[in-house]
C-alpha cells in the first residue's frame, strides 16, 4: 500500500495511516442498542445459522412430488453446524478487519 500513504497524507487522514480496526460484534451491538437490543449481538451467528437451517427445512418440505420430512429433520443439525462455523469464520475474518 505504498501509493495510499501519500494520498492519506494529502487528505490528512491520520486514522488511515495509523490503522483502525473494526470489530463486527461491537459495531452490531452499537447498531442494535438503538433499538434496545444490543445484548443480542453475541448471538448473531446462532440466529443466522438457525434461520438458515429452518429455511432449508421449509424448502425440503415444499419440494414438489414427495415431501422429504425425514431427510429435512435429519439434516437440520448438520446445516445448523455448517452455517454456524461459516458465520463464525466470517465474523472473525471477513466482517472484522483493520485498515
Amino acid at each position: 500500500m505504498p501509493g495510499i500513504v501519500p494520498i492519506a497524507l494529502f487528505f490528512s487522514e491520520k486514522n488511515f495511516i495509523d490503522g483502525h480496526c473494526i470489530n463486527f460484534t461491537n459495531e452490531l451491538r452499537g447498531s442494535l442498542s438503538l433499538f434496545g437490543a444490543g445484548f443480542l449481538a453475541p448471538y448473531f451467528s446462532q440466529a443466522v445459522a438457525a434461520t438458515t437451517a429452518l429455511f432449508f427445512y421449509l424448502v425440503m418440505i415444499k419440494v414438489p412430488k414427495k415431501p422429504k420430512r425425514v431427510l429435512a429433520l435429519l439434516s437440520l443439525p448438520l446445516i445448523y453446524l455448517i452455517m454456524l462455523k461459516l458465520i463464525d469464520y466470517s465474523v472473525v475474518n471477513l466482517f472484522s478487519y483493520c485498515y
Side-chain angles (χ1 to χ4, degrees):
M1 296 190 335
I4 294 178
V5 173
I7 294 171
L9 289 173
F10 179 73
F11 289 110
S12 300
E13 293 287 336
K14 184 177 182 299
N15 288 338
F16 195 73
I17 296 171
D18 293 341
H20 181 68
C21 292
I22 293 178
N23 185 343
F24 179 77
T25 306
N26 290 341
E27 296 293 327
L28 184 62
R29 182 177 291 117
S31 297
L32 290 175
S33 292
L34 295 172
F35 305 104
F39 64 93
L40 294 174
Y43 306 110
F44 173 75
S45 305
Q46 291 89 350
V48 171
T51 304
T52 305
L54 291 176
F55 179 73
F56 180 78
Y57 174 73
L58 292 174
V59 168
M60 288 297 285
I61 287 177
K62 297 293 181 185
V63 169
K65 308 273 179 166
K66 297 179 183 176
K68 297 175 176 50
R69 289 185 193 270
V70 174
L71 178 62
L73 283 173
L74 292 177
S75 64
L76 273 178
L78 181 64
I79 297 295
Y80 176 79
L81 290 175
I82 290 171
M83 287 306 296
L84 185 63
K85 291 296 180 187
L86 181 67
I87 296 300
D88 280 340
Y89 173 81
S90 297
V91 164
V92 172
N93 295 322
L94 301 177
F95 300 149
S96 301
Y97 57 90
C98 293
Y99 62 88

